[in-house]
Amino acid sequence: MALTFQSTSPLGIPQILCQSILLFLKAGQLLLPIFLLSVLSSSILFSFYYSIAPIPLDLADKISILLKETKHRPPNLLPSIVNDLKSFSAFASVIALFSFLSSLFLSLSSIHTFAAAYTDTDLTPNGLLHRIARRWYETMVTRLYAVFLAVGIALLSSFAIASVALVSLPYSIFLAFHVTFLYLYLSTRWRMSLVIATVEETWGIGALSWAVNLCLGNKKRGVALTAMMVTMKVAIYGALLIGLLMASDPTKQTWMGCVVAVVDAAWNLYTMAVYTVFYYECRKSHGLDIIGSSVVLVRVNAVAY
């Protein structure tokens, strides 16, 4: 039975979520190796997090001892703190690099797969690898722009909220609420730019600018979708933390980590499917035509016969 995604009226949040599920069915066997790679990536990341977790906890204890006014400090406390900082920086750098590269590859492969499924385009494994090889640099640069923007805004907003909290706690809560909404909106645009850089010819600043245009008139749907995706992501990591704290047996902790890794991998792919559907929905809301697996930046109403 063929699955169709053509609709003339704008889709609501439930319809977008349902169509994203249908993309999994339509993607077929091409999605299975991507899912397995996603599970492997999540498992490696969770093992990294689990191995690095004792370092910041030990570092916090040592810093608290250093800040206390006592004459009974260990003589080698400061060098130990420096060594912990070096170890944590080295581990964190490896984790960040692996997370960025694996996320980039999985994003490229899943977006191309879901875009082909959405537009009824035949895509073979060799064709998928060819598309990844053709667009990896442009998508990587676009993702780096988004990462730098996210880090910069996070630092500025944290400084602003902390400064306001010194004067008035209610105002800091009010500011934090608006900053959260702003982050959800900007995150929607950044994730949209990743889809744009993958399936279109524009990238970098051009993809970020095009995402702004496509989000016009679609802000509420986009923010709602991003809020749902982020909330579920936080719930997955929260479940892992609770499970690790409750399960004292290492075997149970391992099984808990495996289950959460599978759920996290599936949710990452589903998130890509959601933003792929939302991207095409935004195009249709602006009257832009979709032809095959590529997109043509022409308004339908401007074509006359």
Side-chain angles (χ1 to χ4, degrees), residues 37-240:
L37 287 175
S38 183
V39 171
L40 178 62
S41 175
S42 296
S43 301
I44 294 175
L45 283 175
F46 284 147
S47 65
F48 279 158
Y49 295 148
Y50 185 74
S51 62
I52 200 178
I55 298 179
L57 295 177
D58 183 58
L59 184 61
D61 291 337
K62 292 178 180 178
I63 292 177
S64 65
I65 296 174
L66 182 65
L67 295 177
K68 291 179 180 178
E69 295 183 1
T70 176
K71 298 180 180 180
H72 303 287
R73 295 172 183 167
N76 60 340
L77 181 61
L78 189 58
S80 179
I81 292 177
V82 173
N83 290 331
D84 283 349
L85 287 173
K86 291 180 179 179
S87 299
F88 182 77
S89 300
F91 276 112
S93 300
V94 173
I95 293 174
L97 180 61
F98 176 81
S99 176
F100 179 83
L101 294 178
S102 62
S103 178
L104 176 65
F105 177 80
L106 291 171
S107 297
L108 278 164
S109 56
S110 59
I111 290 173
H112 275 306
T113 301
F114 291 135
Y118 187 95
T119 55
D120 294 317
T121 302
D122 293 331
L123 184 62
T124 63
N126 289 335
L128 176 60
L129 292 177
H130 174 74
R131 293 186 183 188
I132 293 174
R134 191 176 67 87
R135 295 297 299 176
W136 73 269
Y137 176 78
E138 291 81 0
T139 307
M140 181 186 69
V141 171
T142 306
R143 193 177 187 88
L144 284 174
Y145 274 116
V147 169
F148 290 148
L149 288 172
V151 172
I153 292 176
L155 292 176
L156 290 175
S157 59
S158 299
F159 177 77
I161 293 173
S163 300
V164 174
L166 296 176
V167 180
S168 173
L169 183 59
Y171 279 113
S172 66
I173 297 175
F174 178 79
L175 178 60
F177 174 79
H178 283 77
V179 168
T180 301
F181 180 83
L182 175 63
Y183 172 79
L184 291 175
Y185 171 61
L186 293 177
S187 181
T188 304
R189 287 168 36 179
W190 296 332
R191 299 187 187 203
M192 178 81 75
S193 67
L194 187 62
V195 180
I196 292 171
T198 302
V199 302
E200 296 195 27
E201 293 302 321
T202 185
W203 54 285
I205 298 297
L208 292 169
S209 301
W210 184 229
V212 174
N213 294 332
L214 288 180
C215 284
L216 292 176
N218 301 288
K219 181 170 65 174
K220 292 182 179 180
R221 288 193 298 171
V223 170
L225 289 171
T226 301
M228 295 176 64
M229 300 298 108
V230 172
T231 301
M232 186 61 184
K233 190 76 171 180
V234 172
I236 291 173
Y237 281 89
L240 174 63

Side-chain angles (χ1 to χ4, degrees), residues 19-28 31 114 266 269-271 273:
Q19 284 202 2
S20 301
I21 295 175
L22 292 177
L23 281 182
F24 276 82
L25 301 177
K26 195 171 184 180
L31 191 62
F114 291 135
L269 290 181
Y270 181 69
T271 300

Side-chain angles (χ1 to χ4, degrees), residues 241-261:
L241 180 60
I242 294 173
L244 292 177
L245 293 176
M246 294 181 62
S248 57
D249 186 5
T251 303
K252 292 182 179 179
Q253 291 180 351
T254 302
W255 279 107
M256 175 63 68
C258 293
V259 171
V260 175

